[in-house]
Amino acid sequence: MVAASRDSNADDEHDPEGATIAFERAQLASVLRLATDDLAEVDAALGRVSAGRYGRCERCEQPISPARLDARPTARLCMTCASA
Ligand SMILES: [Zn+2]
């Protein structure tokens, strides 16, 4: 979408129907940023698996509950530390 609209000088600001290109670009950038953040969290979790530290809280070193890891496999902190 960004590539398709890069060289366009279309004036969509006055189109009464639908969202503007600027809005859609901002929305797409936001989704891309969230996906990139999620990927970084997954990479960090894989690094902890390789290091033998997966499932252990980074703050208190105690095991993270299996229920928390089921709900959030990339969790770095146990519930106690995450809530503090
Ligand atoms: Zn902890």
Side-chain angles (χ1 to χ4, degrees), residues 52-69:
R53 299 184 48 79
Y54 181 77
R56 196 156 287 277
C57 178
E58 290 185 352
R59 186 172 296 163
C60 72
E61 301 288 323
Q62 294 301 306
I64 298 172
S65 75
R68 177 159 168 78
L69 290 174

Side-chain angles (χ1 to χ4, degrees), residues 3-75:
S5 64
R6 180 174 296 137
D7 297 325
S8 171
N9 61 355
D11 177 14
D12 70 335
E13 297 295 324
H14 300 100
D15 183 351
E17 295 185 27
T20 64
I21 290 173
F23 174 79
E24 297 212 355
R25 276 187 179 172
Q27 196 172 37
L28 184 62
S30 178
V31 169
L32 185 59
R33 191 166 35 252
L34 290 174
T36 302
D37 290 349
D38 285 350
L39 188 57
E41 286 296 313
V42 170
D43 282 345
L46 290 174
R48 292 193 299 278
V49 170
S50 294
R53 299 184 48 79
Y54 181 77
R56 196 156 287 277
C57 178
E58 290 185 352
R59 186 172 296 163
C60 72
E61 301 288 323
Q62 294 301 306
I64 298 172
S65 75
R68 177 159 168 78
L69 290 174
D70 280 347
R72 187 178 173 141
T74 60

